[in-house]
Amino acid sequence: MISAKEQTSELVAWTIDDSEFDRKLNRRVLTRSGAFAHIVDFPSAQDALDELREIRVFPHVIFLDVMMPIKNGFDFLAEATEEFGEDFSSRVVIMLTSSLNPEDRARAESYAAVQEFLSKPLTIDDVHTIA
């Protein structure tokens, strides 16, 4: 997923989740994994999209909750893909969910940026298979 060249650089991960508990857990797991130099948390998909529009710098990996109010993970993917095109599609997005709905997995796999569709909670083993 992430090239050997990228592994030696300062990798940036974003977590996008409406649950404060899940954001804290994800941050703890990502920090303990040692795979990322910088971790940025967003409580909503809209906040993350606003940040992308403002700084136009893409993180190496985005850990994205599927189910969020107002704008869910699929809404985020659709807007980011439409607005940023290949720049966004070439990113690594990991969808995180507590849903067992197979339609969600199929929908996620329709986006080029989505590399994994994982059940919550995120684990260090999950991170090591990605990074």
Side-chain angles (χ1 to χ4, degrees), residues 34-68:
F36 299 95
H38 303 284
I39 302 161
V40 181
D41 303 320
F42 294 93
S44 74
Q46 187 61 55
D47 290 343
L49 282 167
D50 291 345
E51 184 74 4
L52 285 176
R53 289 176 182 127
E54 184 176 323
I55 65 171
R56 300 193 76 74
V57 174
F58 296 93
H60 296 91
V61 181
I62 298 172
F63 293 87
L64 177 63
D65 185 21
V66 172
M67 300 305 297
M68 293 181 282

